Amino acid sequence: MAPAAPSLRVRWWRWCCCLLLVAPTLSPFAAGGRLCRGELRESGERSPPPAKVAELLVAQGVTQVKLYDADPNVLRALSGTGIGIVVTLPNELLAAAAARPAFAEAWVRRNVASWLPSTQIRAIAVGNEVFASPQAGNITTSLVRAVKVSSPVALTALQSSFPPSAGAFRPDLASSVVAPMLDLLRRTGSYLMVNAYPFFAYAANAGVISLDYALFRPNAGVLDPATGLLYDNLLDAQLDAVYAAMKNLGYDDLRLVVSETGWPAENAAAYNGNLARRVLAGDGGTPARPLAELDVYLFALFNEDRKPGPTSERNYGLFYPNEERVYDVAFRLEGTTTTTTRRNQVSPVAGGGGDGGGDLAASATGAATWCLQAALDYACGEGGADCQPIQQDEVCFQPNTLEAHASFAFNSYYQKKARAVGSCDFGGAAVVVHQAPEFGKCQFPAGD
């Protein structure tokens, strides 16, 4: 969804906020399901000031937000809250960033670097629904390690999306624009941001697409005849189409982040509520990528009663401008605390973690047991870590604890990947250390 045109008299700004939904046993290091949401803009809307919105976000358990610019008043309000932030280089500045690297560097210094670390900026979105590889390249030059950089794209970039396995980018974009952008994301350890709206696909094809299928309700499902995979919801099908399109270009190793999704007015409670329940239940991944790590930002935080365009555009919000809920959606299970989580409960390797220069990888103390076990299974299986030393009667079997075995496996994987960016994360269950953990006689390889 492209941002509406700004007013000539009042500057607009928006929040896309992320509430993190957590199962009861999760710790701050666990890899769970993340649901993200929200919008706020200043354009004559009856919306609260940034300080009040920051209070609302904290009260609701929000730990991640996505902004549509880098407004200093908003960043100041979020300082010290512990909320992770994605800021945006607005579309109107893309040309300057592409033409003048010095401009891009100055923008990063002013809008990102100067706010760290009290304001926890985690990523930069370069534009919104425009292909901006050159601009992204200029932005990454100064913050390639500290902050992730990506550029949100719409599903209109796809030439085909059904069946999902036939997903492909448009020929006019694939090799000239998309492939270079994906290569940049791979080289910088980043991810592709995608704005995915089942609402638009349903509205345009209501005679073909079941409403239950679009809203995560029980339905017969849709079969992909090429793969035999059965899809029970439209969002998964859209995401797997993007995965297939990236695979066709040779980039099937990149993560996706759903930088926007939502449903306006009628049926919004069903879509957002059912998506939230999926997250809370740990029902992660897609049929083609059951272990894929996926973050989802739900659009939007507030209704916008003065926004121009169709009525639906004014009614994506979870809250009215007076901070009352539009409808009830459970943001977390009762009796739980809020923490950094992800939609897929078992994906072990995240886009962050590791800096290419750390010595060792180890499990993060306090990670949820099931999270560590899932990550350990991946490392010793698909990940190809050398786990022979932690087998029974081998030198690193003792101590026979999940944390000790996971630490050894994570480090083996990390060293195998030449300590590459992102290879010591495992959904937050691992951390780079510079001194080998002490587990009896077991020696951790540290590489060259």
Side-chain angles (χ1 to χ4, degrees), residues 292-334:
E293 178 184 309
L294 189 63
D295 299 341
V296 182
Y297 287 75
L298 186 62
F299 181 95
L301 183 60
F302 291 113
N303 274 344
E304 303 175 277
D305 56 3
R306 301 181 187 181
K307 182 179 179 180
T311 301
S312 63
E313 288 291 312
R314 294 187 282 276
N315 292 283
Y316 276 88
L318 295 169
F319 294 89
Y320 294 108
N322 65 3
E323 302 181 48
E324 292 183 3
R325 286 179 182 253
V326 177
Y327 49 84
D328 287 330
V329 172
F331 298 144
R332 51 184 141 176
L333 296 180
E334 291 200 11

mmCIF file of all heavy atoms in Angstrom, residues 292-334:
data_model
loop_
_atom_site.group_PDB
_atom_site.id
_atom_site.type_symbol
_atom_site.label_atom_id
_atom_site.label_comp_id
_atom_site.label_asym_id
_atom_site.label_seq_id
_atom_site.Cartn_x
_atom_site.Cartn_y
_atom_site.Cartn_z
ATOM 1 N N ALA A 292 10.583 -21.391 7.653
ATOM 2 C CA ALA A 292 10.999 -20.035 7.301
ATOM 3 C C ALA A 292 10.703 -19.062 8.426
ATOM 4 O O ALA A 292 9.587 -19.008 8.938
ATOM 5 C CB ALA A 292 10.302 -19.582 6.027
ATOM 6 N N GLU A 293 11.704 -18.305 8.809
ATOM 7 C CA GLU A 293 11.508 -17.239 9.787
ATOM 8 C C GLU A 293 10.739 -16.115 9.130
ATOM 9 O O GLU A 293 11.061 -15.684 8.021
ATOM 10 C CB GLU A 293 12.860 -16.748 10.271
ATOM 11 C CG GLU A 293 12.770 -15.603 11.244
ATOM 12 C CD GLU A 293 14.144 -15.103 11.597
ATOM 13 O OE1 GLU A 293 14.998 -15.913 11.964
ATOM 14 O OE2 GLU A 293 14.353 -13.887 11.472
ATOM 15 N N LEU A 294 9.710 -15.619 9.789
ATOM 16 C CA LEU A 294 8.885 -14.611 9.154
ATOM 17 C C LEU A 294 8.353 -13.627 10.181
ATOM 18 O O LEU A 294 7.708 -14.024 11.148
ATOM 19 C CB LEU A 294 7.705 -15.276 8.431
ATOM 20 C CG LEU A 294 6.875 -14.361 7.548
ATOM 21 C CD1 LEU A 294 7.708 -13.807 6.396
ATOM 22 C CD2 LEU A 294 5.671 -15.114 7.012
ATOM 23 N N ASP A 295 8.630 -12.346 9.987
ATOM 24 C CA ASP A 295 8.088 -11.286 10.815
ATOM 25 C C ASP A 295 6.939 -10.646 10.047
ATOM 26 O O ASP A 295 7.026 -10.460 8.835
ATOM 27 C CB ASP A 295 9.139 -10.230 11.129
ATOM 28 C CG ASP A 295 10.317 -10.806 11.891
ATOM 29 O OD1 ASP A 295 10.165 -11.889 12.479
ATOM 30 O OD2 ASP A 295 11.378 -10.170 11.901
ATOM 31 N N VAL A 296 5.864 -10.294 10.761
ATOM 32 C CA VAL A 296 4.667 -9.753 10.117
ATOM 33 C C VAL A 296 4.273 -8.439 10.776
ATOM 34 O O VAL A 296 4.024 -8.395 11.980
ATOM 35 C CB VAL A 296 3.494 -10.754 10.209
ATOM 36 C CG1 VAL A 296 2.271 -10.197 9.489
ATOM 37 C CG2 VAL A 296 3.887 -12.108 9.621
ATOM 38 N N TYR A 297 4.206 -7.373 10.007
ATOM 39 C CA TYR A 297 3.778 -6.063 10.489
ATOM 40 C C TYR A 297 2.329 -5.844 10.072
ATOM 41 O O TYR A 297 2.016 -5.862 8.892
ATOM 42 C CB TYR A 297 4.647 -4.955 9.898
ATOM 43 C CG TYR A 297 6.036 -4.878 10.470
ATOM 44 C CD1 TYR A 297 7.005 -5.810 10.116
ATOM 45 C CD2 TYR A 297 6.389 -3.878 11.369
ATOM 46 C CE1 TYR A 297 8.291 -5.751 10.646
ATOM 47 C CE2 TYR A 297 7.664 -3.805 11.900
ATOM 48 C CZ TYR A 297 8.599 -4.754 11.533
ATOM 49 O OH TYR A 297 9.870 -4.690 12.059
ATOM 50 N N LEU A 298 1.462 -5.638 11.062
ATOM 51 C CA LEU A 298 0.040 -5.475 10.787
ATOM 52 C C LEU A 298 -0.310 -3.999 10.667
ATOM 53 O O LEU A 298 -0.044 -3.214 11.570
ATOM 54 C CB LEU A 298 -0.787 -6.122 11.906
ATOM 55 C CG LEU A 298 -2.288 -6.156 11.670
ATOM 56 C CD1 LEU A 298 -2.629 -6.968 10.432
ATOM 57 C CD2 LEU A 298 -2.989 -6.736 12.894
ATOM 58 N N PHE A 299 -0.908 -3.639 9.572
ATOM 59 C CA PHE A 299 -1.281 -2.266 9.256
ATOM 60 C C PHE A 299 -2.766 -2.107 9.594
ATOM 61 O O PHE A 299 -3.589 -2.841 9.046
ATOM 62 C CB PHE A 299 -1.028 -2.062 7.756
ATOM 63 C CG PHE A 299 -1.324 -0.699 7.210
ATOM 64 C CD1 PHE A 299 -0.317 0.238 7.091
ATOM 65 C CD2 PHE A 299 -2.603 -0.359 6.792
ATOM 66 C CE1 PHE A 299 -0.581 1.494 6.559
ATOM 67 C CE2 PHE A 299 -2.865 0.880 6.274
ATOM 68 C CZ PHE A 299 -1.857 1.806 6.154
ATOM 69 N N ALA A 300 -3.163 -1.266 10.553
ATOM 70 C CA ALA A 300 -2.450 -0.098 11.038
ATOM 71 C C ALA A 300 -2.805 0.115 12.506
ATOM 72 O O ALA A 300 -3.687 -0.550 13.049
ATOM 73 C CB ALA A 300 -2.866 1.122 10.238
ATOM 74 N N LEU A 301 -2.162 1.061 13.158
ATOM 75 C CA LEU A 301 -2.424 1.328 14.566
ATOM 76 C C LEU A 301 -3.726 2.108 14.747
ATOM 77 O O LEU A 301 -4.575 1.736 15.545
ATOM 78 C CB LEU A 301 -1.262 2.100 15.181
ATOM 79 C CG LEU A 301 -1.367 2.383 16.684
ATOM 80 C CD1 LEU A 301 -1.439 1.088 17.476
ATOM 81 C CD2 LEU A 301 -0.189 3.218 17.147
ATOM 82 N N PHE A 302 -3.885 3.226 13.988
ATOM 83 C CA PHE A 302 -5.068 4.062 14.135
ATOM 84 C C PHE A 302 -5.884 4.117 12.848
ATOM 85 O O PHE A 302 -5.342 4.083 11.744
ATOM 86 C CB PHE A 302 -4.675 5.508 14.502
ATOM 87 C CG PHE A 302 -4.106 5.675 15.868
ATOM 88 C CD1 PHE A 302 -2.789 6.038 16.026
ATOM 89 C CD2 PHE A 302 -4.886 5.487 16.994
ATOM 90 C CE1 PHE A 302 -2.245 6.201 17.292
ATOM 91 C CE2 PHE A 302 -4.358 5.658 18.254
ATOM 92 C CZ PHE A 302 -3.035 6.015 18.409
ATOM 93 N N ASN A 303 -7.199 4.240 12.995
ATOM 94 C CA ASN A 303 -8.036 4.637 11.874
ATOM 95 C C ASN A 303 -7.688 6.070 11.480
ATOM 96 O O ASN A 303 -7.237 6.864 12.319
ATOM 97 C CB ASN A 303 -9.521 4.587 12.245
ATOM 98 C CG ASN A 303 -10.118 3.209 12.039
ATOM 99 O OD1 ASN A 303 -9.544 2.364 11.353
ATOM 100 N ND2 ASN A 303 -11.277 2.974 12.640
ATOM 101 N N GLU A 304 -7.908 6.406 10.223
ATOM 102 C CA GLU A 304 -7.573 7.744 9.708
ATOM 103 C C GLU A 304 -8.813 8.344 9.059
ATOM 104 O O GLU A 304 -9.025 8.213 7.859
ATOM 105 C CB GLU A 304 -6.447 7.656 8.686
ATOM 106 C CG GLU A 304 -5.190 7.001 9.228
ATOM 107 C CD GLU A 304 -4.160 6.824 8.138
ATOM 108 O OE1 GLU A 304 -4.260 5.839 7.393
ATOM 109 O OE2 GLU A 304 -3.262 7.668 8.037
ATOM 110 N N ASP A 305 -9.636 8.997 9.851
ATOM 111 C CA ASP A 305 -10.933 9.424 9.352
ATOM 112 C C ASP A 305 -10.865 10.564 8.348
ATOM 113 O O ASP A 305 -11.856 10.873 7.701
ATOM 114 C CB ASP A 305 -11.878 9.776 10.513
ATOM 115 C CG ASP A 305 -11.309 10.830 11.445
ATOM 116 O OD1 ASP A 305 -10.195 11.335 11.172
ATOM 117 O OD2 ASP A 305 -11.966 11.157 12.454
ATOM 118 N N ARG A 306 -9.699 11.191 8.189
ATOM 119 C CA ARG A 306 -9.572 12.280 7.209
ATOM 120 C C ARG A 306 -8.672 11.926 6.037
ATOM 121 O O ARG A 306 -8.322 12.776 5.228
ATOM 122 C CB ARG A 306 -9.043 13.542 7.901
ATOM 123 C CG ARG A 306 -9.956 14.014 9.030
ATOM 124 C CD ARG A 306 -9.445 15.277 9.685
ATOM 125 N NE ARG A 306 -10.248 15.624 10.858
ATOM 126 C CZ ARG A 306 -10.046 16.693 11.614
ATOM 127 N NH1 ARG A 306 -9.062 17.523 11.329
ATOM 128 N NH2 ARG A 306 -10.815 16.923 12.664
ATOM 129 N N LYS A 307 -8.310 10.674 5.946
ATOM 130 C CA LYS A 307 -7.456 10.241 4.838
ATOM 131 C C LYS A 307 -8.279 10.213 3.555
ATOM 132 O O LYS A 307 -9.394 9.684 3.531
ATOM 133 C CB LYS A 307 -6.892 8.853 5.132
ATOM 134 C CG LYS A 307 -5.954 8.317 4.055
ATOM 135 C CD LYS A 307 -5.427 6.953 4.462
ATOM 136 C CE LYS A 307 -4.503 6.376 3.394
ATOM 137 N NZ LYS A 307 -3.987 5.046 3.793
ATOM 138 N N PRO A 308 -7.770 10.762 2.439
ATOM 139 C CA PRO A 308 -8.525 10.756 1.187
ATOM 140 C C PRO A 308 -8.582 9.361 0.578
ATOM 141 O O PRO A 308 -7.859 8.459 0.983
ATOM 142 C CB PRO A 308 -7.725 11.720 0.300
ATOM 143 C CG PRO A 308 -6.333 11.652 0.834
ATOM 144 C CD PRO A 308 -6.478 11.460 2.319
ATOM 145 N N GLY A 309 -9.452 9.200 -0.407
ATOM 146 C CA GLY A 309 -9.550 7.923 -1.103
ATOM 147 C C GLY A 309 -10.746 7.119 -0.632
ATOM 148 O O GLY A 309 -11.637 7.621 0.060
ATOM 149 N N PRO A 310 -10.787 5.820 -1.002
ATOM 150 C CA PRO A 310 -11.908 4.965 -0.628
ATOM 151 C C PRO A 310 -12.089 4.880 0.882
ATOM 152 O O PRO A 310 -11.135 5.040 1.652
ATOM 153 C CB PRO A 310 -11.511 3.596 -1.212
ATOM 154 C CG PRO A 310 -10.497 3.896 -2.259
ATOM 155 C CD PRO A 310 -9.786 5.119 -1.809
ATOM 156 N N THR A 311 -13.316 4.613 1.303
ATOM 157 C CA THR A 311 -13.617 4.498 2.732
ATOM 158 C C THR A 311 -12.738 3.452 3.395
ATOM 159 O O THR A 311 -12.310 3.614 4.552
ATOM 160 C CB THR A 311 -15.099 4.140 2.929
ATOM 161 O OG1 THR A 311 -15.914 5.166 2.339
ATOM 162 C CG2 THR A 311 -15.439 4.011 4.408
ATOM 163 N N SER A 312 -12.454 2.372 2.670
ATOM 164 C CA SER A 312 -11.644 1.302 3.256
ATOM 165 C C SER A 312 -10.281 1.807 3.693
ATOM 166 O O SER A 312 -9.718 1.324 4.681
ATOM 167 C CB SER A 312 -11.477 0.153 2.244
ATOM 168 O OG SER A 312 -10.778 0.589 1.087
ATOM 169 N N GLU A 313 -9.730 2.798 2.984
ATOM 170 C CA GLU A 313 -8.412 3.311 3.313
ATOM 171 C C GLU A 313 -8.380 4.008 4.669
ATOM 172 O O GLU A 313 -7.310 4.168 5.262
ATOM 173 C CB GLU A 313 -7.939 4.289 2.229
ATOM 174 C CG GLU A 313 -7.562 3.641 0.913
ATOM 175 C CD GLU A 313 -6.305 2.811 1.045
ATOM 176 O OE1 GLU A 313 -5.321 3.305 1.618
ATOM 177 O OE2 GLU A 313 -6.305 1.652 0.581
ATOM 178 N N ARG A 314 -9.543 4.400 5.161
ATOM 179 C CA ARG A 314 -9.594 5.122 6.432
ATOM 180 C C ARG A 314 -9.851 4.196 7.627
ATOM 181 O O ARG A 314 -9.921 4.661 8.766
ATOM 182 C CB ARG A 314 -10.691 6.189 6.376
ATOM 183 C CG ARG A 314 -10.404 7.300 5.375
ATOM 184 C CD ARG A 314 -11.420 8.419 5.466
ATOM 185 N NE ARG A 314 -12.674 8.097 4.825
ATOM 186 C CZ ARG A 314 -12.918 8.235 3.512
ATOM 187 N NH1 ARG A 314 -11.953 8.678 2.719
ATOM 188 N NH2 ARG A 314 -14.093 7.925 3.008
ATOM 189 N N ASN A 315 -9.983 2.897 7.356
ATOM 190 C CA ASN A 315 -10.459 2.007 8.409
ATOM 191 C C ASN A 315 -9.633 0.733 8.550
ATOM 192 O O ASN A 315 -10.181 -0.355 8.709
ATOM 193 C CB ASN A 315 -11.926 1.652 8.139
ATOM 194 C CG ASN A 315 -12.846 2.846 8.303
ATOM 195 O OD1 ASN A 315 -13.167 3.252 9.410
ATOM 196 N ND2 ASN A 315 -13.241 3.432 7.174
ATOM 197 N N TYR A 316 -8.325 0.870 8.542
ATOM 198 C CA TYR A 316 -7.437 -0.258 8.803
ATOM 199 C C TYR A 316 -7.024 -0.338 10.268
ATOM 200 O O TYR A 316 -6.388 -1.307 10.676
ATOM 201 C CB TYR A 316 -6.162 -0.144 7.950
ATOM 202 C CG TYR A 316 -6.294 -0.691 6.550
ATOM 203 C CD1 TYR A 316 -6.745 0.114 5.519
ATOM 204 C CD2 TYR A 316 -5.957 -2.007 6.271
ATOM 205 C CE1 TYR A 316 -6.860 -0.376 4.228
ATOM 206 C CE2 TYR A 316 -6.074 -2.512 4.985
ATOM 207 C CZ TYR A 316 -6.520 -1.690 3.961
ATOM 208 O OH TYR A 316 -6.642 -2.176 2.689
ATOM 209 N N GLY A 317 -7.357 0.674 11.057
ATOM 210 C CA GLY A 317 -6.773 0.800 12.381
ATOM 211 C C GLY A 317 -7.288 -0.179 13.416
ATOM 212 O O GLY A 317 -8.435 -0.638 13.363
ATOM 213 N N LEU A 318 -6.431 -0.471 14.386
ATOM 214 C CA LEU A 318 -6.809 -1.239 15.566
ATOM 215 C C LEU A 318 -7.400 -0.338 16.637
ATOM 216 O O LEU A 318 -8.116 -0.812 17.516
ATOM 217 C CB LEU A 318 -5.581 -1.956 16.139
ATOM 218 C CG LEU A 318 -4.958 -3.029 15.256
ATOM 219 C CD1 LEU A 318 -3.617 -3.444 15.826
ATOM 220 C CD2 LEU A 318 -5.871 -4.218 15.119
ATOM 221 N N PHE A 319 -7.075 0.963 16.563
ATOM 222 C CA PHE A 319 -7.555 1.918 17.550
ATOM 223 C C PHE A 319 -8.165 3.129 16.844
ATOM 224 O O PHE A 319 -7.766 3.478 15.731
ATOM 225 C CB PHE A 319 -6.414 2.402 18.458
ATOM 226 C CG PHE A 319 -5.834 1.332 19.336
ATOM 227 C CD1 PHE A 319 -4.791 0.545 18.892
ATOM 228 C CD2 PHE A 319 -6.331 1.129 20.615
ATOM 229 C CE1 PHE A 319 -4.256 -0.438 19.694
ATOM 230 C CE2 PHE A 319 -5.805 0.146 21.427
ATOM 231 C CZ PHE A 319 -4.759 -0.650 20.967
ATOM 232 N N TYR A 320 -9.122 3.754 17.523
ATOM 233 C CA TYR A 320 -9.602 5.063 17.102
ATOM 234 C C TYR A 320 -8.582 6.114 17.560
ATOM 235 O O TYR A 320 -7.752 5.838 18.442
ATOM 236 C CB TYR A 320 -10.966 5.370 17.717
ATOM 237 C CG TYR A 320 -12.074 4.479 17.225
ATOM 238 C CD1 TYR A 320 -12.626 3.508 18.058
ATOM 239 C CD2 TYR A 320 -12.563 4.610 15.932
ATOM 240 C CE1 TYR A 320 -13.656 2.691 17.617
ATOM 241 C CE2 TYR A 320 -13.594 3.791 15.472
ATOM 242 C CZ TYR A 320 -14.127 2.829 16.315
ATOM 243 O OH TYR A 320 -15.128 2.016 15.869
ATOM 244 N N PRO A 321 -8.619 7.307 16.987
ATOM 245 C CA PRO A 321 -7.668 8.342 17.404
ATOM 246 C C PRO A 321 -7.747 8.684 18.888
ATOM 247 O O PRO A 321 -6.783 9.219 19.447
ATOM 248 C CB PRO A 321 -8.067 9.551 16.539
ATOM 249 C CG PRO A 321 -8.634 8.937 15.296
ATOM 250 C CD PRO A 321 -9.386 7.725 15.787
ATOM 251 N N ASN A 322 -8.880 8.376 19.558
ATOM 252 C CA ASN A 322 -8.985 8.629 21.000
ATOM 253 C C ASN A 322 -8.393 7.485 21.823
ATOM 254 O O ASN A 322 -8.552 7.445 23.042
ATOM 255 C CB ASN A 322 -10.440 8.880 21.399
ATOM 256 C CG ASN A 322 -11.320 7.655 21.181
ATOM 257 O OD1 ASN A 322 -10.853 6.594 20.782
ATOM 258 N ND2 ASN A 322 -12.602 7.815 21.447
ATOM 259 N N GLU A 323 -7.728 6.544 21.174
ATOM 260 C CA GLU A 323 -7.015 5.423 21.777
ATOM 261 C C GLU A 323 -7.924 4.277 22.210
ATOM 262 O O GLU A 323 -7.474 3.318 22.832
ATOM 263 C CB GLU A 323 -6.136 5.873 22.954
ATOM 264 C CG GLU A 323 -5.105 6.924 22.557
ATOM 265 C CD GLU A 323 -4.227 7.336 23.719
ATOM 266 O OE1 GLU A 323 -3.720 6.454 24.429
ATOM 267 O OE2 GLU A 323 -4.044 8.553 23.913
ATOM 268 N N GLU A 324 -9.231 4.357 21.905
ATOM 269 C CA GLU A 324 -10.118 3.235 22.169
ATOM 270 C C GLU A 324 -9.959 2.189 21.059
ATOM 271 O O GLU A 324 -9.740 2.529 19.894
ATOM 272 C CB GLU A 324 -11.573 3.700 22.241
ATOM 273 C CG GLU A 324 -11.884 4.575 23.437
ATOM 274 C CD GLU A 324 -13.349 4.947 23.493
ATOM 275 O OE1 GLU A 324 -14.124 4.475 22.624
ATOM 276 O OE2 GLU A 324 -13.728 5.711 24.397
ATOM 277 N N ARG A 325 -10.116 0.923 21.434
ATOM 278 C CA ARG A 325 -9.998 -0.152 20.450
ATOM 279 C C ARG A 325 -11.169 -0.113 19.470
ATOM 280 O O ARG A 325 -12.313 0.109 19.858
ATOM 281 C CB ARG A 325 -9.980 -1.517 21.136
ATOM 282 C CG ARG A 325 -8.680 -1.848 21.850
ATOM 283 C CD ARG A 325 -8.807 -3.206 22.513
ATOM 284 N NE ARG A 325 -7.597 -3.547 23.255
ATOM 285 C CZ ARG A 325 -6.712 -4.460 22.862
ATOM 286 N NH1 ARG A 325 -6.903 -5.103 21.733
ATOM 287 N NH2 ARG A 325 -5.648 -4.725 23.590
ATOM 288 N N VAL A 326 -10.870 -0.385 18.204
ATOM 289 C CA VAL A 326 -11.920 -0.527 17.199
ATOM 290 C C VAL A 326 -12.619 -1.870 17.385
ATOM 291 O O VAL A 326 -13.837 -1.986 17.239
ATOM 292 C CB VAL A 326 -11.342 -0.421 15.776
ATOM 293 C CG1 VAL A 326 -12.427 -0.639 14.726
ATOM 294 C CG2 VAL A 326 -10.687 0.950 15.576
ATOM 295 N N TYR A 327 -11.867 -2.886 17.699
ATOM 296 C CA TYR A 327 -12.384 -4.227 17.982
ATOM 297 C C TYR A 327 -11.348 -4.936 18.837
ATOM 298 O O TYR A 327 -10.212 -4.490 18.966
ATOM 299 C CB TYR A 327 -12.664 -5.010 16.700
ATOM 300 C CG TYR A 327 -11.521 -4.988 15.719
ATOM 301 C CD1 TYR A 327 -10.461 -5.882 15.814
ATOM 302 C CD2 TYR A 327 -11.487 -4.039 14.689
ATOM 303 C CE1 TYR A 327 -9.396 -5.840 14.926
ATOM 304 C CE2 TYR A 327 -10.436 -3.994 13.795
ATOM 305 C CZ TYR A 327 -9.396 -4.896 13.916
ATOM 306 O OH TYR A 327 -8.345 -4.862 13.042
ATOM 307 N N ASP A 328 -11.746 -6.041 19.414
ATOM 308 C CA ASP A 328 -10.852 -6.770 20.307
ATOM 309 C C ASP A 328 -10.040 -7.799 19.536
ATOM 310 O O ASP A 328 -10.596 -8.633 18.821
ATOM 311 C CB ASP A 328 -11.653 -7.485 21.402
ATOM 312 C CG ASP A 328 -12.196 -6.513 22.433
ATOM 313 O OD1 ASP A 328 -11.542 -5.487 22.649
ATOM 314 O OD2 ASP A 328 -13.275 -6.781 22.999
ATOM 315 N N VAL A 329 -8.727 -7.700 19.660
ATOM 316 C CA VAL A 329 -7.802 -8.708 19.150
ATOM 317 C C VAL A 329 -6.821 -9.000 20.268
ATOM 318 O O VAL A 329 -6.242 -8.082 20.844
ATOM 319 C CB VAL A 329 -7.039 -8.225 17.904
ATOM 320 C CG1 VAL A 329 -5.947 -9.211 17.531
ATOM 321 C CG2 VAL A 329 -7.993 -8.049 16.733
ATOM 322 N N ALA A 330 -6.665 -10.278 20.589
ATOM 323 C CA ALA A 330 -5.717 -10.656 21.646
ATOM 324 C C ALA A 330 -4.301 -10.505 21.130
ATOM 325 O O ALA A 330 -3.914 -11.132 20.150
ATOM 326 C CB ALA A 330 -5.973 -12.097 22.085
ATOM 327 N N PHE A 331 -3.514 -9.649 21.779
ATOM 328 C CA PHE A 331 -2.144 -9.419 21.369
ATOM 329 C C PHE A 331 -1.169 -10.371 22.035
ATOM 330 O O PHE A 331 -0.022 -10.472 21.654
ATOM 331 C CB PHE A 331 -1.733 -7.983 21.686
ATOM 332 C CG PHE A 331 -2.552 -6.959 20.942
ATOM 333 C CD1 PHE A 331 -2.895 -5.768 21.546
ATOM 334 C CD2 PHE A 331 -2.977 -7.202 19.656
ATOM 335 C CE1 PHE A 331 -3.645 -4.827 20.875
ATOM 336 C CE2 PHE A 331 -3.731 -6.269 18.972
ATOM 337 C CZ PHE A 331 -4.067 -5.079 19.576
ATOM 338 N N ARG A 332 -1.612 -11.064 23.089
ATOM 339 C CA ARG A 332 -0.793 -12.052 23.757
ATOM 340 C C ARG A 332 -1.702 -12.962 24.558
ATOM 341 O O ARG A 332 -2.826 -12.603 24.890
ATOM 342 C CB ARG A 332 0.246 -11.401 24.662
ATOM 343 C CG ARG A 332 -0.313 -10.374 25.613
ATOM 344 C CD ARG A 332 0.774 -9.693 26.415
ATOM 345 N NE ARG A 332 0.503 -8.273 26.572
ATOM 346 C CZ ARG A 332 1.264 -7.473 27.292
ATOM 347 N NH1 ARG A 332 2.320 -7.932 27.901
ATOM 348 N NH2 ARG A 332 0.990 -6.194 27.378
ATOM 349 N N LEU A 333 -1.193 -14.150 24.875
ATOM 350 C CA LEU A 333 -1.952 -15.061 25.697
ATOM 351 C C LEU A 333 -1.988 -14.554 27.129
ATOM 352 O O LEU A 333 -1.044 -13.943 27.605
ATOM 353 C CB LEU A 333 -1.318 -16.456 25.666
ATOM 354 C CG LEU A 333 -1.313 -17.154 24.309
ATOM 355 C CD1 LEU A 333 -0.654 -18.507 24.445
ATOM 356 C CD2 LEU A 333 -2.724 -17.302 23.770
ATOM 357 N N GLU A 334 -3.089 -14.810 27.822
ATOM 358 C CA GLU A 334 -3.202 -14.343 29.196
ATOM 359 C C GLU A 334 -2.125 -14.965 30.068
ATOM 360 O O GLU A 334 -1.762 -16.121 29.915
ATOM 361 C CB GLU A 334 -4.588 -14.696 29.753
ATOM 362 C CG GLU A 334 -5.687 -13.892 29.081
ATOM 363 C CD GLU A 334 -6.940 -13.876 29.915
ATOM 364 O OE1 GLU A 334 -6.878 -14.299 31.075
ATOM 365 O OE2 GLU A 334 -7.963 -13.435 29.392
#
